[in-house]
């Protein structure tokens, strides 16, 4: 029996409660380079998991128009901005994406200077690799001459959003450049999937890991990039080709449960729900937009079921792998622990919100 819109709506409400209620339980001690504690779990912290979570909530707000969601978002940003923002790096840029999208639609004066300052510093000050890619430096580590697929979601989408919203094309152009440079070094032409990272120091893809969530950042990222800004026609055509090739590969590796494993091409690795949510969102959205190969919609709906089966009564998504550094062998990825996180909640929110689109369309056709 198909999942109903009411079931999805109820679970979306639970997901928001679960995300805003997340608190660090002390299991992961990851101090930042400046000596401050790193909190990659609690909702009220400015880091990349929270940034992804805020974007998921922003997309839900835009979909439902629920003013309560907007209040959660504005209150969060007002608290964090008043407390003082952290040093800029790839991961601390992630919360700027949701802020840009809120400002695009509401034009709150208090956010304008923050967004402009951060965007300017990203393009002028963020360390770069050869060929101009953003070096994947994070709060607790400098990754010299390294490209990671995470960077596109954490930084390039913000530049695309802010560039479009502000009318400054140079930021959109920079976002396009980042997608092209990263695709050159991370997209595997043989499988169609993406590697986690690339180093210019040794000119290799580390463990050559076809990591699940990293691939999900690409599936979600390309579709969101196209929606966030007006891309150059040639760049859009190129990225859509990359996306369709990736989706064809993903369809081959979906498990019987509807999920994907944390190493996409390794069935011995555990099923991982944040990646599954990202893929489910991407496949359903691609089908809705008339993109992707045959089978997108059915696979996306199976992924939606798998994600919903991993959401507890209190709205917390289980079987989400913790933040994943660059692995130098494949066993590293198989051993990453699972932990409820903001990005797990957010990717599930995106997946269920897209599932709500599908359910509503199905109901319209039935009438």
């Amino acid at each position: 029996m198909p999942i109903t819109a009411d079931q999805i709506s109820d679970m979306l409400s639970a997901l928001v409660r679960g995300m805003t209620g997340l608190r660090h339980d002390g299991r992961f001690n990851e101090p930042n380079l400046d000596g401050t504690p790193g909190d990659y779990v609690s909702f009220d912290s400015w880091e990349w998991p929270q940034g992804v979570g805020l974007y998921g909530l922003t997309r839900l707000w835009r979909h439902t128009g629920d003013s309560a969601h907007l209040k959660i978002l504005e209150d969060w940003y007002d608290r964090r901005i008043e407390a003082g923002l952290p040093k800029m790096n790839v991961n601390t840029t992630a919360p700027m994406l949701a802020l840009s999208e809120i400002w695009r639609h509401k034009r709150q004066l208090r956010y304008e200077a923050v967004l402009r300052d951060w965007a300017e510093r990203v393009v002028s000050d963020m360390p770069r690799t050869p060929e101009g890619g953003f070096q994947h430096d994070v709060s607790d580590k400098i990754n010299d001459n390294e490209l990671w697929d995470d960077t596109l979601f954490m930084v390039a989408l913000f530049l695309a959003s802010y560039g479009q919203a502000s009318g400054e094309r140079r930021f959109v152009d920079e976002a396009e450049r980042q997608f092209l440079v990263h695709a050159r070094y991370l997209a595997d032409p043989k499988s169609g999937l993406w590697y986690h990272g690339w180093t210019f120091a040794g000119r290799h893809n580390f463990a050559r890991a076809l990591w699940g969530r990293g691939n999900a950042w690409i599936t979600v990222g390309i579709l969101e990039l196209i929606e966030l800004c007006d891309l150059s026609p040639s760049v859009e055509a190129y990225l859509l080709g990359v996306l369709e090739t990736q989706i064809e590969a993903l369809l081959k590796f979906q498990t019987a449960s509807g999920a994907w494993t944390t190493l996409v091409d390794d069935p011995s690795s555990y099923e991982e729900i944040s990646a599954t949510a990202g893929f489910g969102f991407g496949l359903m959205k691609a089908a809705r937009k008339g993109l992707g190969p045959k089978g997108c919609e059915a696979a996306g709906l199976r992924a939606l079921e798998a994600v919903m089966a991993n959401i507890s009564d209190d709205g917390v998504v289980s079987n989400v792998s913790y933040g994943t550094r660059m692995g130098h062998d494949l066993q590293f990825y198989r051993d990453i622990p699972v932990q409820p996180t903001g990005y797990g909640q957010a990717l599930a929110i995106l997946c269920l919100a897209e599932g709500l689109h599908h359910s509503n369309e199905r109901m319209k056709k039935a009438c």
Side-chain angles (χ1 to χ4, degrees):
M1 184 176 179
I3 298 169
T4 68
D6 286 344
Q7 288 174 310
I8 297 173
S9 294
D10 288 346
M11 199 159 279
L12 280 166
S13 297
L15 281 170
V16 173
R17 292 193 301 272
M19 181 173 71
T20 57
L22 286 176
R23 298 292 182 272
H24 189 14
D25 63 4
R27 273 209 302 150
F28 302 100
N29 180 27
E30 298 181 273
N32 296 324
L33 290 172
D34 62 4
T36 57
D39 185 346
Y40 299 91
V41 178
S42 302
F43 179 65
D44 202 25
S45 177
W46 186 291
E47 256 296 345
W48 72 270
Q50 294 82 1
V52 180
L54 293 161
Y55 183 65
L57 185 56
T58 301
R59 277 301 196 204
L60 183 59
W61 161 61
R62 291 293 300 149
H63 180 70
T64 64
D66 189 337
S67 60
H69 295 154
L70 178 60
K71 186 176 189 318
I72 292 171
L73 290 160
E74 289 186 322
D75 287 352
W76 190 93
Y77 281 106
D78 291 343
R79 287 196 309 274
R80 302 319 309 159
I81 291 170
E82 183 179 0
L85 300 187
K87 184 178 179 181
M88 183 194 70
N89 58 53
V90 166
N91 282 351
T92 58
T93 300
M96 286 294 170
L97 172 58
L99 185 62
S100 176
E101 283 299 287
I102 296 165
W103 177 73
R104 181 207 292 253
H105 295 289
K106 303 299 288 186
R107 296 289 169 171
Q108 303 95 326
L109 289 175
R110 66 190 185 276
Y111 298 147
E112 286 187 18
V114 175
L115 288 163
R116 171 166 292 281
D117 171 70
W118 204 282
E120 293 283 4
R121 289 190 295 120
V122 165
V123 296
S124 64
D125 299 345
M126 187 165 281
R128 300 201 183 223
T129 68
E131 301 185 32
F134 289 139
Q135 180 172 293
H136 193 85
D137 289 349
V138 295
S139 300
D140 61 357
K141 194 172 188 298
I142 303 299
N143 296 301
D144 286 324
N145 285 314
E146 293 181 17
L147 297 174
W148 294 26
D149 43 23
D150 317 45
T151 304
L152 295 177
F153 195 101
M154 308 307 159
V155 181
L157 290 186
F158 160 57
L159 292 178
S161 168
Y162 179 70
Q164 188 74 24
S166 65
E168 296 206 42
R169 181 69 203 183
R170 61 196 175 98
F171 294 119
V172 176
D173 290 342
E174 185 63 59
E176 290 185 344
R177 179 187 188 185
Q178 294 305 317
F179 269 83
L180 294 174
V181 171
H182 282 72
R184 168 164 156 73
Y185 287 101
L186 300 181
D188 172 28
K190 184 176 180 180
S191 69
L193 299 170
W194 283 51
Y195 295 120
H196 187 181
W198 167 267
T199 173
F200 284 94
R203 299 194 70 85
H204 59 73
N205 292 109
F206 296 95
R208 296 175 64 83
L210 301 172
W211 175 47
R213 190 165 59 247
N215 272 272
W217 295 137
I218 303 307
T219 313
V220 176
I222 291 176
L223 285 165
E224 294 303 276
L225 179 71
I226 292 166
E227 193 163 302
L228 289 170
C229 67
D230 297 323
L231 291 176
S232 305
S234 58
V235 173
E236 181 172 343
Y238 171 77
L239 291 176
L240 283 175
V242 169
L243 176 67
E244 293 202 0
T245 299
Q246 187 207 36
I247 289 175
E248 286 180 359
L250 289 172
L251 294 178
K252 301 173 187 174
F253 292 108
Q254 189 174 25
T255 68
S257 73
W260 279 265
T261 51
T262 199
L263 290 170
V264 175
D265 61 337
D266 179 7
S268 73
S269 63
Y270 60 82
E271 292 185 358
E272 205 280 324
I273 298 304
S274 70
T276 298
F279 295 146
F281 164 82
L283 270 59
M284 286 188 288
K285 186 167 184 172
R288 178 165 61 86
K289 298 285 188 180
L291 305 170
K294 184 179 179 181
C296 265
E297 183 178 44
L301 289 170
R302 288 176 58 213
L304 173 64
E305 292 178 358
V307 172
M308 292 181 71
N310 280 274
I311 300 172
S312 66
D313 291 341
D314 57 358
V316 176
V317 183
S318 60
N319 293 310
V320 171
S321 63
Y322 188 62
T324 304
R325 300 178 185 277
M326 188 58 59
H328 292 265
D329 59 67
L330 296 180
Q331 191 60 41
F332 171 83
Y333 294 88
R334 300 183 188 107
D335 293 340
I336 294 292
V338 295
Q339 163 72 34
T341 65
Y343 54 82
Q345 301 292 128
L347 288 165
I349 288 171
L350 289 174
C351 184
L352 267 66
E354 187 59 39
L356 195 58
H357 267 298
H358 181 275
S359 181
N360 289 336
E361 288 298 315
R362 189 178 67 244
M363 288 172 62
K364 286 179 185 177
K365 291 176 183 177
C367 291

